[in-house]
Structures are given as C-alpha cells and as structure tokens.
Amino acid sequence: MKQRLIIFIFFLISITNFAQNVSVVSPNNKWKVELKNEQSASTGTWYLKINSLKENTNYDMIPKIDLGLLRSDQDFSNELKFIKADKPKLINEQYTSLHGKSSQRSNSGNEVVLYFENPSKAKLNVIVRAYNDGVTFRYEFPEKKGTFTIKDELTAYKIPDSTSRWLEKFDLSNEGLYTNMKDASVQQDWCYPALFNVKDDTTWYLIHEADLNRSYAATKLTNTITESEYKVTLPGQDEGVGEPLPIINLPWKSPWRVIIMGSLAEVVESTLVDDVSAPSVLTDTDWIQPGVASWNYWSNNHGTKDYKVVTEFADLAAEMGWSYTLLDWEWDQMENGGNLEDALKYIHSIGVKPLMWYNSGMFKWITSTPVDRMKTHENRIEEFAKLNKLGVYGIKVDFFLSEKQDMIKYYLDILDDAAKFKIMVYFHGCLVPRGWQRTYPHLMTYEAARGAEWYNNGPELTITAPEHNNVLPFARNIVGSMDYTPVTFTNSQYAHITSYGHELALSVVFESAMQHMADRPEGYQNLPDAPKTFLKHVPSTWDETKLLDGYPGKFTVMARRKGLDWYIGGINSDGRREKVQNLKFDFLSEGQSYKLTLIADGEYDTLFSTKYMVVDKSSSIDVTMLRRGGFAAYISPIK
C-alpha cells in the first residue's frame, strides 16, 4: 500500500512538472508558446504564454492568454485536469492561392495537442501551433456525439500597458476608424483585427480569428471587464438576427485564434489567416477570374437606374482594358433608353463582363432593390440560373450586419450555391475576412472597411482619409481582400484632400481580388498618359508582396510583384510637411536591369511628375511625397 502511494504521488508530481514545461517552438526558433497553470498544479485554470526568443533573449510577447469554454451542460475552465500533451509535430502544407497578396503559400508550423478533462471526465483538447510568423490555437471537443450551446468563450489576451495598439470600435458594418492608443484606458467592444506594438518597438502582432464555419459565431474583442485583458466575446442579443449563442454538434473544433507576429513587414506580408483555414472546396477553378471593374455608385448613387450611365461605365471599362463593370443597386428599375437585358447585351457586345448587386434581404428596414433574391436556397437557385443565361459573372451581396451563427450559415450558403453556377461573390456591409477566400476561392473580396463610399456620407473622411488610408495596410487589409473602391481624382458629394499621386498609389497599396475603380469616366479619361497607362495595366492579384517601409497612420510603401514585373505604391498622411522617401530596390533580382516608370506628386496635389530611368538591385532614389501625397511606380525587366 505504501509503495502504491509513493508511485501515485510520484505520478502526480510528474504530471504537474510536465504540464508546467509543455511548450512548442516555431520552426525558426523565434517564438515559444508555453502552457501554464494559475495554481501551479495539474488541475485548475490554464493559460498560454508567448515568448520571443530572438537574439537568444527570452521576453514575454503576450504574458497570458486565458483558456476555457462554458458549455450549456458543463464548465471547461476552472477545474480542468491536464492529462497529457502529444509530442510536437510538423505541419507542412504547400498550396497555391488564386488571389491575394501572394500566389505560392506555405502552411508550415509546429503543433502540439494538449489534453484536458473536467471533473465530469468530459474531454477538452487545445491545439496549439507555433509558426515562423505567429501562433494559433483552437479548442476541440473530441467526443463523438452531443448537441450543446456555447454559453461563453473565456479566451482573453492580457496586453501590457507598455504596448501601443491600433483598435477599431466594434460596429456590425466594420466600417469605423482605427484609434492609436498607448494603453488600455479605453474600455469597450473592439473589431478584429487588432494591431499591437510591443515596447521594444521592433516587434508587432495582430490578433484575429480564422477558419470560422457554420459551427460557431464570429467573435469580437472586449476589455470592459478587465481593461488590460481583451476577451474573445460572442455576439450580443441585439446584434443582428438570430440567436446570439452558437449551437454545436460533437465532435467540434472552434475557429483558430490567430496571433500574427514579427517585424512590421513580416506581419503585413503574412498569410497566416488563410494558411490555417480549410483548403478549397472547389476542384474546378478555371472560371474564377479576378480583375478590375468600373463602378458608378461613388459618383452617381442612383446611376444604375439610368441605362445611359450604365453604358458609359461599361465604355470606361472597355477603354481602360478592365474586365468588369458593376451594376449596383436599383438595376431592376433601369430606364432612360433601356432595361437590364438591354444593358447586359450592350456590355457583352463591347467585351466587358457584368457583375450585379443584391440586397441580402435580411432586414425589413433596408428596402434597396432587388431585395429577396438571395434569402433562401430556392431564391438563389432560381436567380443564379437566370444569371447564367444572362452572362453575369459575379454578384455583390450587401447588408449582412450580423455576426451570429445564423448569419455565418447564410454567408456560406450563398457561397455554396454560387459555386454550383460558377458565379463569383463578394460581400458588403459584412464581417471582416476569416480565411474564407482560401476555402471558397470564388469569394473575391469583402468591404468591412471605411472606404471611398464614405465621401458620400458626410465630411468626416475628407479629413481622416490620409491617416486612415495609412492604417488599413497594417490592420484590416492584412487578413484578406478589402473593397475600399479606391483611386478617385474627382470629388463625390464631399471632397478629398489626398493628392492625385496618393490616389493612384492606392491601386497598389490596397489589395482586392476584385478591385473597383470608383471615379467617374472623365476622372480617368482626363489623366496624363503615364498614370492612365498605369491604371490600364495594374493587376488585382499578386505573386508576392513586400512592405518596403511604413508606419501605421503615417506612411506606407508597398511593393507587389506580378510575374516578373513589380508595382510600388507609396502614400503619406502628414498634413504639415512633405516626406522624402528613400526608395531602395534591393528586392529586385541580382544581375538584372529594370526600366522604372515613376509617377510621383507634382508641384501641387492635382499634378503628377513622371520620370523614367534604369535601375537594378543596387539602385536607390529619393521620392518626394506631398503632405497628403503619394507615388506609384512600375518596374519591368529589360530583356
């Protein structure tokens, strides 16, 4: 009996010590994730700790990430017993993306599975991965049957007050402005993604979630309980349609909790949100064709009611060599020389492909037409069959304004049905990307950002756009395509104060697989040859992306490669002084000369200054950006 007691005590001590030493390290030995127990015991409350190991130093990146779930039948938080941890294994998957910031992707990281059980012997696993560009983890209920409600998720990130942060107040449209704060003194609900800069100034991280599916709701971050802890929070009762708490069926896995980490460039260039999401459900993808589109809403809010306006924007697309034109809301009310069928016939006759807008139909108070053609499976099948006959290539669906489980199902139902008819899709008035563009590659882009449309809504964007435009590349656009509808030289209802060089650069700085150029026809037709030619050829998908320089809210210099050619966009937000940007070309191939076309700000904001020169990997030039200015560049190899 005494011997058995000694063995049992030794077993408990071993379990406790092992639990306190469970960790997983990234393949490049840069990040370490450790499992910790609040009570320094084998049973209790658990959390993760993320350390930076760079330069042989070990310091806390995120000192504490609370773990736990509350399920309708029982608690998986306070009295969790650690059972074991698998040995770390390498996840190594290579895949190709049809669109986004890069074409060749790698999902490569080290994974460890942590096994727990609660006092009722119910099982909970936590799957943790350490990547070269971040850390991800998710929950798993491995048992084979049962239907339950998730009452709360207890994941919470403890962020030291020494950490700078860029956060957007939560709103169901995800169209707010980011605020830069030095601490957590503002307490409220926050949108994803959330950007942080640790006190060493060289290390950054972005918190988000990925691989959300029908089995859960989208979440947000909240620091209303403890100001320094940003808790993962399920939708509130009053936030859109449906029940706020998700219902799950076992076995079940949560979305990934994603922390992208590294230098600012490494965070911007990361594809981790897509990497951890489910692979494509499609085998035939030849019909998916990203591109550039003309768009009439920005300059004429009711333009699609007018056949002549629709044909003018189709002509613009043909003239500029853009593949698409979008027929926005009210196309079912078209008059002044023709109806929808007439317009589509004309669009096809000039070699342009039509896209069409739809109301989600989920809110009775949003009456923009057409309203009810997407709402049910039967509606969609009938409508998609018509669109196939009419030769329509894609749809824009608007007004979701909910992140509950029922709405997540609705998004994915639209994507599933559209794929059967080979129709591309993009969402407006919607949630921020969660990795769906990998799983559903016919999903081209999302709004979920305060874009140029807001020049119609009031004077606010006129003043805030320069800084706002310089935050988006470091936050929202990192996690997926963003339909900002950029590049406007004329004015909408409210003027912009960004320079022509700044606006031209947005075609490169902002990534969207379906890029809608928002200006009226004369805005592009009146451009000088160099910027007009640039916009005729700028791609909407990229093989490689590099952040050359920048700082959130201040300035951005982005380089993107398509084939052998490079495009660069640079924008400045300083309203008081010009910025001289030193532009190095060390990202170019060794031993190759390139022709550079540089289209920069002229003497004042509506003028361009264009230069041509030969550069190579060793070259360096200075480019002057006006106070709210910018520049664009095209670099092609000399054969």
Side-chain angles (χ1 to χ4, degrees):
M1 181 69 183
K2 183 177 180 181
Q3 186 178 9
R4 288 184 180 179
L5 182 61
I6 291 171
I7 293 171
F8 180 69
I9 291 171
F10 177 77
F11 175 75
L12 285 181
I13 293 172
S14 298
I15 284 284
T16 300
N17 289 338
F18 182 62
Q20 295 305 304
N21 290 285
V22 171
S23 64
V24 61
V25 177
S26 62
N28 61 0
N29 292 310
K30 193 172 182 180
W31 316 115
K32 180 180 181 181
V33 190
E34 297 179 280
L35 175 66
K36 296 289 185 180
N37 181 273
E38 290 275 15
Q39 296 79 23
S40 297
S42 61
T43 300
T45 305
W46 299 87
Y47 65 94
L48 300 177
K49 178 182 178 183
I50 302 179
N51 300 324
S52 170
L53 304 179
K54 66 179 183 178
E55 298 176 359
N56 298 316
T57 60
N58 188 327
Y59 70 90
D60 294 349
M61 279 279 292
I62 304 180
K64 187 180 181 188
I65 306 174
D66 290 336
L67 299 175
L69 292 166
L70 298 181
R71 212 169 69 183
S72 54
D73 62 325
Q74 51 195 305
D75 187 322
F76 293 85
S77 62
N78 293 325
E79 297 181 63
L80 281 179
K81 180 180 179 181
F82 177 78
I83 304 300
K84 67 174 183 175
D86 284 344
K87 292 181 179 180
K89 69 175 183 178
L90 176 65
I91 303 297
N92 190 13
E93 175 193 17
Q94 311 301 314
Y95 69 100
T96 299
S97 178
L98 298 180
H99 38 60
K101 65 182 81 171
S102 60
S103 56
Q104 300 305 309
R105 308 284 184 90
S106 175
N107 177 28
S108 298
N110 291 322
E111 177 184 282
V112 64
V113 181
L114 311 172
Y115 297 85
F116 301 90
E117 67 178 21
N118 69 5
S120 301
K121 305 296 184 182
K123 310 298 183 184
L124 172 69
N125 302 338
V126 180
I127 305 167
V128 183
R129 291 181 181 176
Y131 290 87
N132 290 346
D133 55 346
V135 168
T136 70
F137 64 95
R138 75 190 321 174
Y139 301 100
E140 178 183 35
F141 289 130
E143 292 165 325
K144 300 303 181 185
K145 61 181 180 178
T147 299
F148 306 100
T149 298
I150 298 294
K151 297 174 67 177
D152 197 8
E153 179 174 337
L154 304 178
T155 307
Y157 304 88
K158 185 174 179 61
I159 309 297
D161 265 352
S162 58
T163 306
S164 295
R165 60 209 70 197
W166 285 258
L167 300 170
E168 177 187 338
K169 182 180 179 181
F170 180 74
D171 177 82
L172 288 170
S173 70
N174 294 283
E175 294 179 38
L177 297 170
Y178 274 80
T179 301
N180 178 210
M181 293 165 285
K182 300 300 182 184
D183 56 34
S185 56
V186 179
Q187 294 180 263
Q188 60 186 25
D189 294 348
W190 304 100
C191 293
Y192 289 116
L195 177 68
F196 300 88
N197 181 204
V198 301
K199 60 183 178 181
D200 74 348
D201 287 336
T202 64
T203 307
W204 299 72
Y205 57 92
L206 188 87
I207 295 177
H208 195 43
E209 66 180 0
D211 204 27
L212 171 66
N213 58 37
R214 292 178 175 86
S215 70
Y216 211 54
T219 67
K220 55 183 177 287
L221 295 174
T222 303
N223 68 330
T224 53
I225 299 173
T226 304
E227 65 177 24
S228 64
E229 293 186 358
Y230 292 84
K231 180 185 176 299
V232 171
T233 304
L234 292 166
Q237 181 69 49
D238 59 345
E239 294 173 8
V241 298
E243 292 300 316
L245 300 179
I247 297 172
I248 66 167
N249 296 305
L250 304 191
W252 172 85
K253 292 179 181 178
S254 74
W256 288 104
R257 304 287 155 232
V258 177
I259 309 108
I260 301 172
M261 300 188 298
S263 67
L264 190 55
E266 288 169 329
V267 171
V268 169
E269 296 163 17
S270 172
T271 58
L272 190 55
V273 169
D274 285 349
D275 297 342
V276 299
S277 295
S280 173
V281 297
L282 304 180
T283 53
D284 172 20
T285 58
D286 290 344
W287 55 275
I288 301 171
Q289 300 172 6
V292 179
S294 62
W295 183 55
N296 66 47
Y297 176 86
W298 183 82
S299 58
N300 189 330
N301 293 172
H302 300 279
T304 310
K305 292 175 71 171
D306 190 319
Y307 173 81
K308 291 183 179 178
V309 172
V310 171
T311 56
E312 286 172 4
F313 276 82
D315 289 340
L316 171 65
E319 178 185 347
M320 296 296 290
W322 300 336
S323 298
Y324 300 98
T325 189
L326 171 65
L327 282 63
D328 215 285
W329 68 329
E330 300 174 328
W331 49 258
D332 55 335
Q333 302 175 46
M334 196 183 304
E335 53 187 9
N336 194 24
N339 59 20
L340 173 65
E341 288 72 18
D342 298 322
L344 293 175
K345 182 177 180 181
Y346 179 79
I347 291 166
H348 284 295
S349 75
I350 60 173
V352 175
K353 301 171 183 176
L355 311 167
M356 286 169 53
W357 179 98
Y358 287 86
N359 188 331
S360 75
M362 297 302 290
F363 304 95
K364 292 181 179 179
W365 52 272
I366 302 177
T367 57
S368 308
T369 63
V371 175
D372 292 327
R373 307 189 190 195
M374 290 293 118
K375 196 169 181 180
T376 68
H377 171 71
E378 291 73 22
N379 292 154
R380 292 190 294 273
I381 295 303
E382 180 181 355
E383 191 67 13
F384 292 158
K386 290 179 182 177
L387 295 183
N388 278 173
K389 291 180 180 179
L390 293 169
V392 174
Y393 285 75
I395 59 169
K396 168 184 175 179
V397 188
D398 207 343
F399 302 127
F400 290 89
L401 304 178
S402 175
E403 301 193 348
K404 295 178 181 177
Q405 185 177 27
D406 285 347
M407 192 62 81
I408 302 306
K409 292 177 180 177
Y410 183 35
Y411 280 112
L412 301 183
D413 288 348
I414 291 172
L415 290 170
D416 281 340
D417 287 343
K420 296 170 187 173
F421 291 85
K422 298 185 176 182
I423 291 174
M424 295 179 291
V425 178
Y426 49 104
F427 297 128
H428 265 233
C430 61
L431 82 176
V432 172
R434 257 68 172 193
W436 292 348
Q437 284 183 278
R438 181 183 182 192
T439 312
Y440 303 91
H442 60 302
L443 173 55
M444 308 312 293
T445 190
Y446 310 65
E447 187 182 28
R450 179 165 297 198
E453 175 184 282
W454 277 76
Y455 286 115
N456 290 321
N457 299 343
E460 182 181 38
L461 194 62
T462 295
I463 304 302
T464 58
E467 179 179 344
H468 176 60
N469 293 351
N470 275 293
V471 175
L472 292 174
F474 302 98
R476 161 63 182 88
N477 210 182
I478 289 176
V479 301
S481 286
M482 180 180 74
D483 196 25
Y484 179 101
T485 60
V487 190
T488 57
F489 304 102
T490 66
N491 288 323
S492 184
Q493 279 91 320
Y494 296 90
H496 58 66
I497 56 174
T498 50
S499 77
Y500 278 21
H502 183 116
E503 290 295 317
L504 182 68
L506 296 182
S507 63
V508 178
V509 172
F510 293 158
E511 180 272 313
S512 180
M514 192 67 74
Q515 187 77 282
H516 290 83
M517 301 297 184
D519 209 345
R520 49 180 57 83
E522 54 267 33
Y524 302 111
Q525 293 161 346
N526 294 336
L527 290 173
D529 287 343
K532 184 187 294 185
T533 300
F534 186 90
L535 290 175
K536 286 181 177 181
H537 298 289
V538 65
S540 67
T541 63
W542 307 99
D543 294 318
E544 186 178 0
T545 289
K546 288 186 175 295
L547 177 69
L548 301 185
D549 202 357
Y551 191 88
K554 294 184 178 180
F555 71 104
T556 310
V557 184
M558 193 81 74
R560 302 190 194 268
R561 179 177 62 83
K562 184 71 171 181
L564 299 176
D565 298 336
W566 285 90
Y567 294 77
I568 302 176
I571 56 174
N572 181 30
S573 68
D574 195 326
R576 294 170 295 177
R577 60 181 67 86
E578 295 178 347
K579 177 175 176 56
V580 178
Q581 178 66 42
N582 181 249
L583 188 59
K584 297 179 180 179
F585 299 92
D586 51 4
F587 56 89
L588 297 176
S589 298
E590 191 76 51
Q592 173 69 56
S593 295
Y594 295 79
K595 179 181 178 181
L596 167 69
T597 302
L598 176 65
I599 310 167
D601 286 321
E603 187 177 350
Y604 50 89
D605 59 355
T606 60
L607 286 183
F608 291 104
S609 173
T610 302
K611 297 178 181 178
Y612 305 92
M613 60 191 79
V614 175
V615 298
D616 59 26
K617 188 178 180 69
S618 64
S619 299
S620 175
I621 63 174
D622 287 338
V623 184
T624 300
M625 294 187 279
L626 295 177
R627 295 178 300 163
R628 296 174 291 270
F631 69 90
Y634 169 60
I635 307 171
S636 61
I638 297 173
K639 298 179 181 179

